[in-house]
Structures are given as C-alpha cells and as structure tokens.
Amino acid sequence: MKVRFLGTGTSTGVPQIGCDCDVCSSTDPRDRRLRTSVRIEIDGKVLIIDCSPDFREQMLSQPFKKIDGILLTHEHYDHVGGIDDLRPFSIFGEVDLYMEERLENALRERLPYCFAEYRYSGVPNLAVRRISAGEDFQIGTITVTPIRVMHYKLPILGFRIRNFAYLTDIKTVEEAELRKLEGVDTLVVSALRKTAHISHQTLDQALEMIGRIKPKKAYLTHMSHEIGLHAKVEEELPPNVLPAYDGLEISV
C-alpha cells in the first residue's frame, strides 16, 4: 500500500491569508499545507480520503487514472469542497463516494446538480455508496473499517484499511472505537495546534492517543500555522512520530 499526503493543513490552509507569522512566511516547502486529504494505492486500486477544495491542484501532479473510491469523513467544506472537480474522472465511469446518510443529505442539499436524477452534460458522474459506522465495507478485495470519532458534537468517520488507519478532525474517540485500531502499523491522526480547541485535539492530545494505540509509526495531519514550523515540531516529537507534509509518500 502506498499513501501520499495530498494535503496536511487545516480549513484555512497554510499560509493563512493575511498572516505573516513565521510559519506563513516560511520558505520551507513543508510549511505550505493544502487542505487535508490522502491518496492510497492498494491492490491496483486508487482510493482517496476526503475531497478538499484544493482537489484540482492536488491531482494535477498525480497520474490521471480511475479513482475507485472516495471515502468521506464528514460534511465540512474543507473535506468535501472539491467534489465538483471530479468531473474529469467521470471519463472512467462513475466515481463512487462512500459516505454516511447524514453526509449524503448535506451534499444533496449543497450540490443538487451533482446528484439530480437527470443531470446535464458536464457535471461529475457520481454514485453514492452509503456506509455506516458499525459495518465494514468492501471496495473490490479491500476491506475498510469505519471508525466513529467525535468532532466536538459532530459524529464523523475515520477509516482503517488493513494495517493503516486515518483519523482526522478528532476531538474524542470512545474506547470501543479505539479497540478497532489494535495492531495498526501506521496511524495518521490530526493535531491542529498546541493550544486547546473546542472541536480538535491538540498536539499533546494527539500524542496521548498515539501512545494508547501504539502504532509502529504515526503521522500528524490537519495542522494549522499555530502548530509551529515543521522543522521545530519534528525535533520535539518521539522517534516514531512525524509531522506529515504535502507530497510525502509512505509505504505501509
């Protein structure tokens, strides 16, 4: 399995418009963060977790080939704002969107032309594949386990694919859901910043979660400019934990 980080930033991206802090002014390319998403290649299939507003830019550098499934975590714009840009991929047929019922309802309201029964030429050819938190689902030979996490009061999904797990926008996770992550080799978790936030875990809270799950390797994502310079954060972390950056590709 190959995992490529398409974006590792929070909802505003980094640099943040109008900000001239050390991070937003940095010349280190690792401090430039598009909105959070990953591309996964496994068993000859391409999966993407979340379809950010930066999707077009993110995909320009990737091979143009069929997307076999887009796994959506929740309805916030920084995670679904690129759905209209799936139009070019319709040349390969329907693009399957895996999502919960609540998220489907939200997208049908926001993007009715993408989900209408009779769609005009040029809109993305999308197929909704409804999933639920308590049931594994299949994409070809690939088993995906949804993980229920809480984004403050909003229930959203993370995903486990074999020995890889991806959890973004976390504030809390119940113990029963953490047990679904036992034996994970590679874990990706969000860490917004170092100070408290109402709906996101801090860097320390992310490290605490990593300590409970005990993966061999962990990567941080969904980071704001407030977390600090990539180079400095990297120095502060345990040996098995790294801040991810846009364009980083790992093998699992």
Side-chain angles (χ1 to χ4, degrees):
M1 182 192 312
K2 290 186 177 180
V3 178
R4 185 178 183 89
F5 290 87
L6 301 175
T8 56
T10 186
S11 57
T12 59
V14 183
Q16 182 173 299
I17 293 173
C19 182
D20 60 358
C21 73
D22 288 347
V23 177
C24 292
S25 304
S26 172
T27 58
D28 185 340
R30 298 174 300 176
D31 287 317
R32 299 187 65 86
R33 303 184 184 278
L34 300 175
R35 268 66 72 91
T36 298
S37 177
V38 292
R39 181 182 185 272
I40 300 168
E41 285 201 40
I42 177 174
D43 290 357
K45 295 191 177 297
V46 174
L47 308 179
I48 291 177
I49 301 180
D50 285 336
C51 190
S52 88
D54 299 314
F55 178 80
R56 176 185 173 277
E57 181 176 354
Q58 292 164 340
M59 297 308 292
L60 284 173
S61 62
Q62 301 306 302
F64 182 56
K65 57 195 297 187
K66 177 178 172 61
I67 296 173
D68 298 285
I70 294 186
L71 285 55
L72 297 174
T73 60
H74 65 295
E75 61 265 40
H76 286 168
Y77 181 76
D78 54 318
H79 296 266
V80 299
I83 285 175
D84 185 77
D85 287 324
L86 288 166
R87 284 181 284 174
F89 293 91
S90 298
I91 194 173
F92 302 108
E94 290 182 332
V95 181
D96 291 335
L97 305 182
Y98 292 84
M99 66 182 87
E100 293 187 275
E101 181 178 6
R102 185 200 69 256
L103 174 49
E104 178 187 350
N105 293 337
L107 291 181
R108 288 185 182 278
E109 182 177 343
R110 291 184 204 172
L111 298 165
Y113 66 95
C114 288
F115 299 95
E117 183 176 357
Y118 301 103
R119 286 168 279 189
Y120 59 82
S121 176
V123 302
N125 184 11
L126 308 176
V128 175
R129 308 300 181 193
R130 190 175 299 171
I131 60 176
S132 60
E135 298 179 8
D136 291 359
F137 60 94
Q138 297 289 133
I139 302 177
T141 60
I142 305 159
T143 300
V144 182
T145 300
I147 310 295
R148 171 65 77 213
V149 305
M150 296 301 296
H151 186 22
Y152 186 40
K153 294 183 179 181
L154 179 67
I156 71 173
L157 291 179
F159 299 101
R160 176 175 182 167
I161 302 172
R162 297 181 185 167
N163 289 328
F164 171 81
Y166 183 92
L167 308 176
T168 188
D169 289 49
I170 315 162
K171 182 61 178 181
T172 56
V173 187
E174 291 191 0
E175 192 65 35
E177 297 301 303
L178 284 176
R179 286 197 288 271
K180 295 179 183 178
L181 299 170
E182 291 177 357
V184 162
D185 287 338
T186 305
L187 175 67
V188 179
V189 296
S190 57
L192 184 72
R193 62 192 193 192
K194 295 178 180 178
T195 56
H197 189 279
I198 192 171
S199 60
H200 291 272
Q201 63 183 4
T202 64
L203 174 58
D204 283 345
Q205 289 166 339
L207 292 174
E208 181 182 354
M209 175 177 289
I210 292 166
R212 294 178 67 187
I213 297 170
K214 295 181 173 59
K216 293 179 181 177
K217 201 80 172 180
Y219 295 87
L220 306 178
T221 193
H222 207 285
M223 291 171 281
S224 78
H225 63 150
E226 295 176 84
I227 201 164
L229 293 165
H230 180 102
K232 290 186 177 180
V233 174
E234 192 172 41
E235 292 175 355
E236 299 167 355
L237 296 174
N240 69 323
V241 182
L242 291 170
Y245 56 88
D246 293 18
L248 172 66
E249 186 167 286
I250 61 174
S251 295
V252 180

